[in-house]
Amino acid sequence: MSEIFDKVKKHLRPQVQIKSKATQKAPGKDVKPFPVAGLLFFLTVLAVLCLLSTMGFQNRIKLFVAGEVATHDVAADQNLQIEDTAATASRREQVAETQPPVFDLSPKPFIDLTKGVDDILNAVSEASGEELEKLRWQISESLNVEIGQDVIDSWQRADLRGLVRTRILPWIKSAYEPGVVSASSILLAYKNGILIRDLPSNMEMLRIDPRDIKDLKQVRDALEAHLKTDLNRPIRVRKAVSALIHPFLVPNLTLNQETTQGRKREIMAAVEPLYYNIKKGEIIVRQGERVGPVQQLKLQSLYRLQSGGVQYMEGVGGFAMCLLLLLVLHFSLEKRGLRAVSDKDWLFLGTVFLAFGLFAKFGNAVRLPTGDVPESVRAMYFAYSLPLAGASGILALFFPKRLCILMSLMLSFLTCRLIGADLNLFCYYFIGSMIFIFLLKRSETRVQVLKTSIPLIATLLFMWVAVNLMDFIDLATAGTGIFFIVLNGLLTLLAVMGISPIMELIFGYSSRFRLMELMNLEQPLLQELMVKAPGTYHHSLVVSNMAEAGARVIGANALLAKVAALYHDIGKLKNPQYFIENISGKENRHNKLTPSMSALILISHVKKGVELAREHKLGPVITDLISQHHGTTLITFFYHKAQEMAEAKGEDPVREEEFRYPGPKPQSKEAGLILLADAIEASSRTLVDPTPSRIKGHIQSILRKIYTEGELDESQLTLKDLTLLTETFHRILTGIFHQRIEYPTIDRSGNKPAKSKEAPTEIAKPSPEQAA
């Protein structure tokens, strides 16, 4: 590449992090600090779980189930109040059934209908010729129904438009006033009546008999009868009116499920529960007596209140094993070791471990007896239905595969200790977690995540068969266990889909699925950018393609780089007319501004981009990349212009800091990559006759300039990365500026003309905005 690169390569290995000569630090001073706080929290969680795993839940209360004959007396060892859940639930359900459902009566459907009809009639009345035919197809697509030419002709007539506006719309308004439902059958289930809430005023009215409320079909039939009988209109007019009105007819009386359920919950909560009061010393069941359901409920309540002791030596041994696994993780993370995991990451890992560990321990402790199933079989069913693979799946959404595998190994070990399981269950947990990690790493959408449940359940079932072959009990146990294995797969999927968005929100992570959603060009922010700043929008698309291709060749996060590049210039939405790509031949507003003011406007787009990113909740990762995409680069054009003006007026030299972006410098490979792609793409538009050799020289020049200014010092990019990026950017820009062949033109007389010899269009010299 450049001479500077050649000199540095003599002293640095190809994979070392880039440091410019002016900003190189002494060895060891730029090493990432050790995540003490986060790691300490994670170790504390491990210690708690290891200690909890030694805590026995041996119970002095003998648990008998309904139908079983008690072998000895069981007396209460404390005062106890037990809720009769069955009687309480039955009583609450009876009260909830008397609560009528709430239906919202909204004026919006009629407003939308009126607006849609007016828009169509106005557009049809103003169109003609080919424009009318094009409009017909647009209306057909919009209404999702074929609109014939005869209907369009009818809509163009002034008398029909007057009929619709003066007779039909008022009639529909009167039909909407009492409320219209989608189908009358939905009201048949509500024998106690319904509550109709008028949305503008929030006034509520009880309708005891809702059968007289019309549905959409009845309204359509009534409209047809009104046109035919009351207004005496011919079939052609009725057809035109129906084609115009029917697509906009929607129900304005809809069930408010949330409010209805909320009121039912309120009235159910107001019902006082029914309790059994047990005194200390009271005999719950006597020897030789057959246990009934109520006695079983009392025994279960006493059983839960008992606890065992703690075996500290076992806890220390388990913690030592976890430390050894952490040591393996340290050496597997190559040179940086545990420094590669940040404080926030350790906090996240500790939270996941703690949540699943506590669920495993206390879920195993309070599991309820089921019929005549032995205690050991009940414990097995719970253990094999525990969705431990869900924890590994949550980690797989945010962390590298290697870290996920070792964390899954550690969590499988701890869970087996917590519930007192054997080696068979450890293999079941660990293999299931590995399979799910590999499945999730290959999933790019939430739909694909849902589809992973099938191979996951198939794998768990296969392992269940293998376990039964090794330790067979009976066919009934093996068959019943299939239900719990399927439950495990469904709970695993539910844990990933339900918990991962919460973790994204709390810890500021951006999962692959969130990035895929942001990459959709139909996102409101990108749509606004396309409309208000089309030049910036096109520039962002090209930069995103360059960033994605560059990230793939250097091993960075290609999806993150592409999405961040799409949004990196959203700050230009505030003042799009001050950026050259959006001027489109208009007067350059910077000609009327001082250099310092122009620089201030350009600098502000980074801050405004960060504000927009936070406002639209793009995530901390995208927000940080937006703030770093210019680093601390100098706005050269306006800086030199300000210097020249100061020298001409004899004023003091201008301060360079006023013409630099505030930074920070790129802190990751993705940020440095976007900075390079942004600068190269914007400046490449100034090239005259962009041949492949000129493009390559231009790319190397920009890379050399950014490198020597020290903008990449903190980005973790290496010299090898820059070489690969040069080749990648050169290939993409060469494809954009490729030469086209000359096409012969034919004049009107039919004579064979000479070849077109249009000179290549020259792009103007760097404008102030492009230079920035």
Side-chain angles (χ1 to χ4, degrees), residues 124 132 148-158 160 236 240:
V124 170
L132 184 61
Q149 185 60 45
D150 56 334
V151 174
I152 295 293
D153 294 339
S154 298
W155 289 353
Q156 285 190 308
R157 296 176 53 186
L160 186 136
R236 179 175 56 83

Side-chain angles (χ1 to χ4, degrees), residues 38-334:
L39 185 56
L40 183 61
F41 172 78
F42 183 75
L43 292 176
T44 303
V45 170
L46 293 182
V48 170
L49 293 180
C50 289
L51 191 63
L52 193 62
S53 67
T54 67
M55 186 179 296
F57 289 92
Q58 299 174 356
N59 209 301
R60 297 190 301 272
I61 300 295
K62 175 62 177 177
L63 187 60
F64 298 105
V65 298
E68 187 178 357
V69 177
T71 58
H72 60 272
D73 293 345
V74 179
D77 59 354
Q78 57 185 302
N79 293 328
L80 189 63
Q81 188 180 57
I82 304 173
E83 180 183 350
D84 186 353
T85 54
T88 302
S90 176
R91 184 177 178 183
R92 287 175 175 172
E93 287 177 1
Q94 291 177 358
V95 174
E97 287 296 326
T98 63
Q99 173 66 31
V102 179
F103 280 75
D104 290 337
L105 181 63
S106 172
K108 187 175 183 300
F110 178 74
I111 295 173
D112 294 342
L113 183 147
T114 304
K115 183 178 183 304
V117 169
D118 283 340
D119 290 344
I120 290 178
L121 291 179
N122 292 336
V124 170
S125 64
E126 297 173 358
S128 62
E130 295 181 358
E131 182 183 356
L132 184 61
E133 177 64 18
K134 181 179 179 181
L135 179 61
R136 182 176 74 86
W137 282 108
Q138 291 176 347
I139 294 175
S140 298
E141 289 291 336
S142 176
L143 300 182
N144 197 26
V145 64
E146 176 68 25
I147 302 298
Q149 185 60 45
D150 56 334
V151 174
I152 295 293
D153 294 339
S154 298
W155 289 353
Q156 285 190 308
R157 296 176 53 186
D159 58 340
L160 186 136
R161 297 198 301 272
L163 172 68
V164 170
R165 287 170 174 152
T166 59
R167 304 294 296 275
I168 303 302
L169 290 180
W171 183 90
I172 294 176
K173 182 178 180 180
S174 64
Y176 264 136
E177 285 178 353
V180 177
V181 295
S182 59
S184 58
S185 59
I186 65 176
L187 300 176
L188 299 178
Y190 308 118
K191 300 178 180 179
N192 296 327
I194 63 173
L195 277 174
I196 298 179
R197 181 173 64 178
D198 184 65
L199 288 185
S201 61
N202 280 330
M203 296 285 292
E204 295 186 0
M205 179 180 65
L206 177 63
R207 293 284 293 270
I208 301 299
D209 187 6
R211 289 177 296 178
D212 58 342
I213 297 176
K214 296 181 179 180
D215 61 9
L216 289 178
K217 183 179 182 304
Q218 294 171 333
V219 172
R220 294 190 184 103
D221 295 342
L223 175 61
E224 181 69 18
H226 178 64
L227 287 167
K228 182 178 180 180
T229 305
D230 300 339
L231 301 181
N232 196 23
R233 299 296 177 178
I235 189 171
R236 179 175 56 83
V237 174
R238 300 201 302 269
K239 178 182 177 182
V241 172
S242 299
L244 179 63
I245 299 298
H246 285 186
F248 293 103
L249 281 176
V250 295
N252 70 333
L253 189 63
T254 55
L255 174 64
N256 191 323
Q257 191 72 35
E258 182 179 355
T259 302
T260 300
Q261 294 299 326
R263 293 189 179 183
K264 285 187 176 182
R265 287 193 295 268
E266 290 176 2
I267 197 171
M268 290 174 68
V271 176
E272 291 293 333
L274 302 177
Y275 292 100
Y276 295 109
N277 292 311
I278 300 176
K279 299 297 182 180
K280 184 177 180 179
E282 179 181 343
I283 301 297
I284 305 298
V285 61
R286 296 186 180 275
Q287 182 179 0
E289 182 182 356
R290 190 171 296 277
V291 178
V294 176
Q295 292 169 314
Q296 178 183 334
L297 178 64
K298 296 177 180 179
L299 290 174
Q300 289 171 183
S301 300
L302 289 173
Y303 186 86
R304 293 193 194 100
L305 296 176
Q306 305 301 315
S307 62
V310 178
Q311 304 295 326
Y312 294 100
M313 296 304 295
E314 291 185 16
V316 174
F319 185 69
M321 187 65 70
C322 292
L323 291 180
L324 289 176
L325 292 176
L326 274 180
L327 188 63
V328 173
L329 175 64
H330 175 73
F331 289 113
S332 67
L333 294 178
E334 299 176 345

Side-chain angles (χ1 to χ4, degrees), residues 339-528:
R339 288 189 179 89
V341 186
S342 65
D343 277 315
K344 182 178 72 172
D345 297 338
W346 284 119
L347 181 63
F348 176 83
L349 292 170
T351 303
V352 172
F353 270 52
L354 185 63
F356 278 83
L358 292 178
F359 176 74
K361 183 63 178 179
F362 293 104
N364 179 66
V366 301
R367 62 180 183 273
L368 298 179
T370 54
D372 297 329
V373 179
E375 175 70 18
S376 59
V377 176
R378 291 201 302 270
M380 181 178 64
Y381 286 157
F382 172 80
Y384 280 89
S385 63
L386 187 64
L388 196 67
S392 302
I394 294 172
L395 301 183
L397 294 178
F398 309 110
F399 295 109
K401 189 182 299 181
R402 183 179 303 174
L403 178 63
C404 295
I405 292 175
L406 288 171
M407 287 294 144
S408 299
L409 177 64
M410 188 182 303
L411 187 56
S412 300
F413 166 74
L414 280 174
T415 304
C416 289
R417 292 281 305 161
L418 285 165
I419 63 178
D422 55 8
L423 181 62
N424 291 343
L425 189 63
F426 171 80
C427 296
Y428 173 83
Y429 285 154
F430 184 61
I431 295 175
S433 299
M434 294 304 97
I435 296 297
F436 199 44
I437 289 172
F438 290 123
L439 290 173
L440 281 185
K441 285 297 183 182
R442 299 178 61 182
S443 303
E444 295 186 350
T445 63
R446 298 190 191 273
V447 175
Q448 291 178 348
V449 173
L450 292 175
K451 293 180 180 179
T452 60
S453 59
I454 298 177
L456 175 63
I457 292 175
T459 302
L460 296 179
L461 286 174
F462 183 83
M463 288 190 289
W464 171 249
V465 173
V467 169
N468 278 273
L469 291 176
M470 291 187 293
D471 190 11
F472 182 74
I473 300 177
D474 54 60
L475 287 177
T477 301
T480 307
I482 294 177
F483 167 78
F484 292 96
I485 299 302
V486 175
L487 179 64
N488 187 334
L490 297 179
L491 290 177
T492 296
L493 190 63
L494 182 63
V496 172
M497 300 297 291
I499 299 178
S500 59
I502 300 175
M503 291 301 186
E504 283 187 56
L505 180 64
I506 295 176
F507 290 92
Y509 290 113
S510 292
S511 68
R512 181 185 302 106
F513 312 120
R514 173 59 176 161
L515 294 178
M516 292 293 292
E517 293 169 359
L518 292 176
M519 192 174 64
N520 187 353
L521 297 183
E522 297 299 322
Q523 287 286 338
L525 200 56
L526 294 180
Q527 289 290 305
E528 185 180 0

Side-chain angles (χ1 to χ4, degrees), residues 493-610:
L493 190 63
L494 182 63
V496 172
M497 300 297 291
I499 299 178
S500 59
I502 300 175
M503 291 301 186
E504 283 187 56
L505 180 64
I506 295 176
F507 290 92
Y509 290 113
S510 292
S511 68
R512 181 185 302 106
F513 312 120
R514 173 59 176 161
L515 294 178
M516 292 293 292
E517 293 169 359
L518 292 176
M519 192 174 64
N520 187 353
L521 297 183
E522 297 299 322
Q523 287 286 338
L525 200 56
L526 294 180
Q527 289 290 305
E528 185 180 0
L529 188 67
M530 179 179 65
V531 174
K532 292 185 178 180
T536 302
Y537 176 78
H538 179 264
H539 162 72
S540 299
L541 290 178
V542 177
V543 172
S544 70
N545 291 331
M546 295 173 64
E548 180 185 21
R552 292 188 186 281
V553 298
I554 66 174
N557 190 330
L559 181 58
L560 175 61
K562 182 174 185 177
V563 174
L566 279 175
Y567 292 89
H568 79 283
D569 269 346
I570 56 175
K572 294 182 180 179
L573 280 172
K574 298 296 184 180
N575 295 297
Q577 66 276 13
Y578 284 93
F579 298 89
I580 190 63
E581 66 266 25
N582 303 315
I583 292 179
S584 301
K586 300 178 182 178
E587 181 183 1
N588 191 339
R589 299 193 177 190
H590 288 277
N591 295 335
K592 299 179 181 180
L593 301 178
T594 62
S596 59
M597 181 58 68
S598 295
L600 184 61
I601 292 175
L602 299 184
I603 291 173
S604 66
H605 90 272
V606 176
K607 179 181 177 182
K608 292 175 180 177
V610 171

